[in-house]
Amino acid sequence: MTEPHPLTQLLQRLTQRVRAFDRRRPLVWDLLVTAFFMAAALVDATGGWRNIAPNTEVPGWLIFLMSVGLSLPVLWRRRHPMAVLAVMVATGLVNSWTGAMLQASLIQMLVLFSIAMRLPLKTLGWAGLMMVAPLVIGTVRYPEDSWDQQIIPNVWAYALVALLGIAVRSRQDYTEALVERAHRLEVERDQQAQLAAAAERTRIAREMHDIIGHNLSVITGLADGGSYAAAKSPERASQALEAIGTTSRQALAELRRLLDVLRDDAPAAAELSPQPALTDLNQLIDGVRAAGLPVRSTVHGRPDSVPAGRQLTVYRVVQEALTNTLKHGGPDATATVDVAYGDDGVTVEVTDTGVGGPQSSPPSAKGRGLTGMHERTTMYDGTLEAGPRPHPPGGWRVHLHLPKDNETP
């Protein structure tokens, strides 16, 4: 991209400074502009007007009043442009009628520029007609050349000023639209970032719940069984302690893998630690059995064609269902896990015979567990049903179906 010419850069800087000063102190700027044009008009009123005036016998006091009437209203041109133009046109009519033809009448074009920048085009048209009236009066009363030579050049000047005002207005509107669009895009970007952060927090909370909730439930079951067996069978108590240690180490490993995702300085650590898959279901079920919950499992088909994301969802749903049975099923509960891999996807059903206790609420009815299962299922357009089974046999049932991934070859 080529650099602008130094003169262009200088003009841009000066224009920006003038606009900035105008925004900060509009009244001061208006006073300065008005004072400049009043000074120019009064200097012309001292005698220079007679060089081009058709009638040089106009009284001095009237020349002074017309000079003030054509310059002082500039002070209010931005707040009341049409009223200011009306005063100036009225003064211009007197100027044309008397034949003074003061050059201060050209100040009307500054007001015309303000109207073109701020008011509708219809109003701009009426303003142009108002300004033509003094030209017609002067041409009729003091004809010097043909009417087109006296009127047309001034009309062209008015048209050019109006077009300049429209161009500046269009440029400002375009700039404001770009600024508004940039602001809107910035807001949308911040909203997207907030949504992404919220989604990531939800994902991490769901993973933390699945990992900690399940492993703590297993550890609790092992600890309860170990304390019960300690008095009668020290060997069984020792096995329970070993299982607690193994489960704790597995939980810590999963937590480290999850927390590594949040570290910017070690992204490879998360990639090297795989997520649980369907091949890990047997290990999961064995851990639950070791915690004291009898689990019967059946598997139909092979999980080879199930993508990794769907495998993790199946694993977490089974994990959550068994964890809920451990926590709420009661001491005599049993569980069944049925997994079927078919042409239409994978189907999982986890049932138990638990009865719960008076202090227990329905499994994950209002917590993160059931919500997390639904969120994982929705990600893959699956269906999830979770609720109590009718009596008999009673207990709880979780049914999951994930359709086949059509994009998978």
Side-chain angles (χ1 to χ4, degrees):
M1 184 176 180
T2 59
E3 290 290 334
H5 193 275
L7 180 59
T8 303
Q9 294 180 344
L10 176 62
L11 292 176
Q12 289 177 348
R13 287 196 297 269
L14 290 176
T15 302
Q16 291 174 356
R17 290 179 182 177
V18 170
R19 289 178 177 174
F21 180 80
D22 186 22
R23 286 193 296 267
R24 291 195 306 268
R25 294 181 175 84
L27 180 59
V28 174
W29 178 254
D30 288 341
L31 288 172
L32 291 174
V33 172
T34 303
F36 172 79
F37 284 107
M38 280 193 67
L42 293 176
V43 167
D44 184 56
T46 57
W49 62 276
R50 292 188 175 89
N51 295 327
I52 60 172
N55 180 15
T56 59
E57 302 299 327
V58 182
W61 61 270
L62 184 56
I63 295 295
F64 175 79
L65 290 179
M66 288 191 295
S67 299
V68 173
L70 291 170
S71 58
L72 182 60
V74 170
L75 182 63
W76 298 278
R77 74 188 186 282
R78 290 196 281 195
R79 284 172 290 179
H80 309 287
M82 287 302 294
V84 167
L85 184 63
V87 172
M88 298 177 75
V89 167
T91 306
L93 289 172
V94 177
N95 180 41
S96 298
W97 184 266
T98 59
M101 303 300 177
L102 297 176
Q103 296 297 303
S105 61
L106 297 176
I107 302 175
Q108 296 176 97
M109 290 192 289
L110 180 63
V111 182
L112 181 65
F113 180 81
S114 297
I115 293 173
M117 282 188 59
R118 294 175 175 83
L119 299 182
L121 291 179
K122 182 178 180 180
T123 305
L124 178 61
W126 284 109
L129 292 176
M130 290 171 59
M131 295 176 64
V132 171
L135 299 178
V136 174
I137 295 297
T139 301
V140 172
R141 186 165 173 81
Y142 299 98
E144 296 180 355
D145 299 319
S146 60
W147 66 272
D148 57 331
Q149 292 181 351
Q150 290 184 259
I151 295 179
I152 297 301
N154 291 280
V155 171
W156 272 110
Y158 297 161
L160 291 175
V161 170
L163 290 175
L164 179 61
I166 293 174
V168 173
R169 178 179 184 171
S170 300
R171 173 80 179 199
Q172 290 180 346
D173 292 343
Y174 178 71
T175 304
E176 291 175 1
L178 290 179
V179 172
E180 177 62 23
R181 181 183 178 186
H183 176 70
R184 187 167 60 251
L185 290 176
E186 184 178 356
V187 171
E188 291 177 357
R189 181 199 62 191
D190 294 340
Q191 290 176 345
Q192 292 295 330
Q194 292 174 2
L195 291 174
E200 184 65 12
R201 286 195 299 268
T202 301
R203 186 189 70 82
I204 293 173
R206 187 170 58 231
E207 292 288 339
M208 294 283 285
H209 170 272
D210 291 341
I211 294 170
I212 296 177
H214 170 75
N215 286 287
L216 286 181
S217 297
V218 172
I219 290 172
T220 301
L222 291 170
D224 291 340
S227 62
Y228 177 78
K232 298 182 179 181
S233 178
E235 294 181 359
R236 295 288 300 275
S238 177
Q239 293 175 358
L241 291 175
E242 291 179 1
I244 289 174
T246 301
T247 304
S248 300
R249 284 189 290 271
Q250 291 176 350
L252 287 174
E254 289 194 63
L255 284 176
R256 289 193 186 100
R257 175 189 55 76
L258 179 62
L259 295 177
D260 280 341
V261 177
L262 305 179
R263 294 175 54 192
D264 294 333
D265 57 342
E271 297 176 1
L272 294 176
S273 301
Q275 293 273 23
L278 292 176
T279 54
D280 300 313
L281 276 179
N282 290 334
Q283 183 179 356
L284 170 68
I285 294 173
D286 289 341
V288 174
R289 286 172 181 156
L293 176 64
V295 181
R296 182 177 62 85
S297 64
T298 58
V299 178
H300 303 279
R302 296 177 58 83
D304 301 338
S305 61
V306 180
R310 284 172 165 76
Q311 292 192 34
L312 177 61
T313 297
V314 172
Y315 181 93
R316 292 303 188 197
V317 168
V318 174
Q319 182 186 59
E320 180 63 27
L322 295 177
T323 301
N324 287 332
T325 302
L326 275 173
K327 292 192 294 185
H328 306 288
D332 298 325
T334 62
T336 301
V337 178
D338 294 320
V339 183
Y341 306 102
D343 295 335
D344 61 340
V346 56
T347 302
V348 178
E349 184 166 282
V350 182
T351 58
D352 64 51
T353 60
V355 295
Q359 76 280 8
S360 301
S361 59
S364 304
K366 297 182 180 179
R368 292 186 180 273
L370 188 56
T371 301
M373 288 194 290
H374 276 293
E375 289 175 350
R376 292 181 184 277
T377 304
T378 304
M379 287 172 57
Y380 300 103
D381 298 325
T383 57
L384 179 73
E385 299 175 3
R389 302 165 68 192
H391 292 278
W396 196 264
R397 172 179 175 270
V398 175
H399 181 84
L400 168 70
H401 176 73
L402 295 181
K404 187 177 181 180
D405 186 5
N406 294 327
E407 297 181 0
T408 302

